[in-house]
Amino acid sequence: MKVLLVNGSPHPHGTTARQLGFVEEGLAEGGVGATWFQLSAKPVRGCIACERCAELQRCAFDDDQANSLLDALNEADGVVVGSPVYYGGPNAALCALLDRAFYAGAEHGPGFAGKPAAAVVSCWRAGTTAALDRLYKYFSITQMPIVTSYYWSQMFDGRYMGHEDDYGADAMRQLGRNLAEQVRRGSR
């Protein structure tokens, strides 16, 4: 059993990666492993509604990470998508990849229905709930159960606070434990 941790930040060792690391700790406590998908800093195409994915069950464009993300989503037993908050929303490059991978995989591929999912966001001050709402839409439209923690799945950037967001870190670990439970239930 493996959960895919998607770091939707172009910074592989930033706050979002640290946040996903806390989720990974909770998954491990729950007996579930994790694999990582790192968003690159290279350009990403948006969807052009060409509908070729209906025929290919993949995105027609193969010059960025969309099909790699689609493959990783298909192989995973669950998923956590993490993003920094930029102007009150998730990273636009991440959303472009998710648009294409979810459309090709859920609409025209084997689908993700029933696969547990969660979203986590990191920020300096505000915008987390709007960013979470955007990410949750990918899951709800594709009939993926959304897993939560005991508080919003957000973490504040400790560099600006002068200390780590311990409450956020604990909430991320709980999210990992909750997700592990859902993945284990699904594999019975």
Side-chain angles (χ1 to χ4, degrees), residues 24 33 36 59 77 99 114 130 155 158 165 187-188:
E24 184 176 27
W36 285 71
C59 183
D77 299 303
D99 285 353
M155 219 172 129
D165 179 3
S187 67
R188 292 180 191 156

Side-chain angles (χ1 to χ4, degrees), residues 94-135:
L94 171 66
C95 289
L97 286 178
L98 292 172
D99 285 353
R100 291 169 45 220
F102 270 75
Y103 192 63
E107 297 293 323
H108 300 297
F112 309 133
K115 203 174 278 200
V120 300
V121 294
S122 59
C123 72
W124 175 48
R125 307 255 330 141
T128 57
T129 56
L132 284 170
D133 181 57
R134 169 80 190 267
L135 294 173

Side-chain angles (χ1 to χ4, degrees), residues 10-148:
H11 305 286
H13 305 292
T15 304
T16 304
R18 195 165 58 253
Q19 183 180 25
L20 288 167
F22 294 129
V23 174
E24 184 176 27
E25 288 175 18
L27 287 166
E29 288 174 27
V32 173
T35 58
W36 285 71
F37 181 91
Q38 174 61 51
L39 178 75
S40 78
K42 295 180 180 176
V44 174
R45 291 177 180 262
C47 181
I48 63 167
C50 69
E51 296 289 331
R52 293 270 328 274
C53 56
E55 169 191 339
L56 303 172
Q57 294 192 348
R58 311 182 58 66
C59 183
F61 297 121
D62 207 16
D63 58 353
D64 61 21
Q65 293 180 294
N67 286 324
S68 297
L69 177 57
L70 175 59
D71 292 340
L73 286 165
N74 281 328
E75 292 173 15
D77 299 303
V79 63
V80 180
V81 175
S83 178
V85 174
Y86 297 150
Y87 293 95
N91 180 352
L94 171 66
C95 289
L97 286 178
L98 292 172
D99 285 353
R100 291 169 45 220
F102 270 75
Y103 192 63
E107 297 293 323
H108 300 297
F112 309 133
K115 203 174 278 200
V120 300
V121 294
S122 59
C123 72
W124 175 48
R125 307 255 330 141
T128 57
T129 56
L132 284 170
D133 181 57
R134 169 80 190 267
L135 294 173
Y136 288 156
K137 284 180 171 65
Y138 291 102
F139 311 140
S140 64
I141 322 191
T142 54
Q143 302 178 59
M144 298 173 78
I146 297 171
V147 179
T148 61

